[in-house]
Amino acid sequence: MTGRRGGRPLVPAYLSTGGVARPSRPHLERLSVLMGTRTPAPAGLPAAQLALLDALDEGSLTVVEAAALLRLPVSAVRVLAAELIDRELVQSRPPIPPAGRFDPDLLKRVADGLRALKHT
Amino acid sequence: MAFAPSNTPSAPPRPTEDIHLPDTARDLVKILVAGPFGVGKTTLIDSVSEIRPLHTEEPLSEASAEVDDLAGVRDKTTTTVAVDFGRISLPGGVVLYLFGTPGQERFRALWDDIAYGALGALVLVDSRRIDASFDVLGLVEETGLPYAVAFNAFPDAPRHHTEEQLRAALDLEACTPMVTCDAREADSSVDALLALVQHLIDRHAPEGR
Ligand SMILES: Nc1nc2c(ncn2[C@@H]2O[C@H](COP(=O)(O)OP(=O)(O)OP(=O)(O)O)[C@@H](O)[C@H]2O)c(=O)[nH]1
Ligand SMILES: [Mg+2]
């Protein structure tokens, strides 16, 4: 494969570490939740990845919140997060846990919650 | 199901700038707050958000955003648009995100990305310049997002329009909710959001079909 723009090495780090197949990457939505795995960061982690990892030190963030915090476009945070997920330094989950995906009550809970905001 | 009364007052205090998710956060849902420039999107989000509204700078051409190397993204002088968002934690582990979404056709790729998985859209209309909202309405309908229309009450807005006239001018379906709101007022903004959410519930209700 040739013709990559920019100076990224042709062999990505996750392949250079023993040729492990790339784990299947979850699709990262704006509201996918990112969590640190509390694994110590290896030396030599690129600064941008380290910055994201640091932001997750104090708790979970959605992709879009991490982007706002790091002042990066969402597309860039998707890339950084995917790399950290490959390194098993970060975990992600979809915005709604799979078990709750088809909860018919969800809209009602949103409405009730909004009403509660007004009544205080 | 009974909810514990929320302690969140209408104008939520934002004691800390820590934006990490509360441990109770479970179901993260989003609603688009869409409308033309200057219609009050940021104002509405700010009036109800528990965090100071944040924003991301998004490159306009998605092609360049696909570049998977960060340095490349940063060095390039791409046009960007600010997309702001706010957050409301509701009882029961639901966290509602509001995304201020510019509605021009040239933002289409960005629009699709933001709209992915959204519950629906609240379309803000400035009744002094209704036609400025046509693009947004077109996008919402193309995307297939259910929506409600909120007329943002600017002081010099013309008051002589009847609801029927406005509905006709915007070419709205009879079932599309139409409310007026003052985006600066939390309660008023919440009412507009409720009109949308109630519409979403009614769409799924078996009766009336
Ligand atoms: N009187 C009145 N003024 C409003 C209302 N909503 C917004 N404004 C004012 O209108 C101006 C524009 O509002 P914004 O919230 O910045 O509009 P926006 O849609 O975010 O604009 P862009 O981000 O530029 O697309 C601000 O000066 C607001 O204070 C309203 O409901 N009533
Ligand atoms: Mg704005």
Side-chain angles (χ1 to χ4, degrees), chain B residues 35-44 84 124 152-155 181-184:
Chain B
F37 287 121
V39 76
K41 302 181 293 292
T42 305
T43 305
L44 187 142
D84 39 27
L124 295 186
N152 209 3
F154 288 94
C181 83
D182 186 328
R184 298 164 302 177

Side-chain angles (χ1 to χ4, degrees), chain B residues 2-34:
Chain B
F3 287 118
S6 162
N7 292 322
T8 317
S10 297
R14 300 173 191 152
T16 154
E17 286 304 318
D18 181 13
I19 63 163
H20 290 90
L21 281 173
D23 289 339
T24 50
R26 204 185 94 92
D27 300 319
L28 278 48
V29 296
K30 68 178 155 185
I31 287 176
L32 270 51
V33 177

Side-chain angles (χ1 to χ4, degrees), chain A residues 4 8 29-30 33 48 55 59-60 62 65 68 73-74 76 78 93 95-97 109 112 114-115 118 120, chain B residues 3 6 8 20-21 25-28 55 57-58 68-70 74 87 92 94 97 113 116 190-191 194 198:
Chain A
R4 237 186 221 286
R8 199 172 178 209
E29 301 177 35
R30 268 168 202 258
V33 181
S60 312
T62 58
E65 284 160 349
V74 165
R78 284 190 172 118
R93 74 159 176 92
I96 297 177
R109 282 154 64 209
D112 289 344
L114 284 171
R115 271 185 219 107
K118 284 189 59 191
T120 46
Chain B
F3 287 118
S6 162
T8 317
H20 290 90
L21 281 173
R26 204 185 94 92
D27 300 319
L28 278 48
H55 73 272
E57 293 287 339
E58 309 282 353
D68 58 353
D69 121 59
L70 201 57
R74 293 200 114 166
R87 183 174 95 194
V94 181
Y97 285 81
D113 188 63
Y116 181 85
V190 169
D191 278 337
L194 269 169
Q198 192 57 52

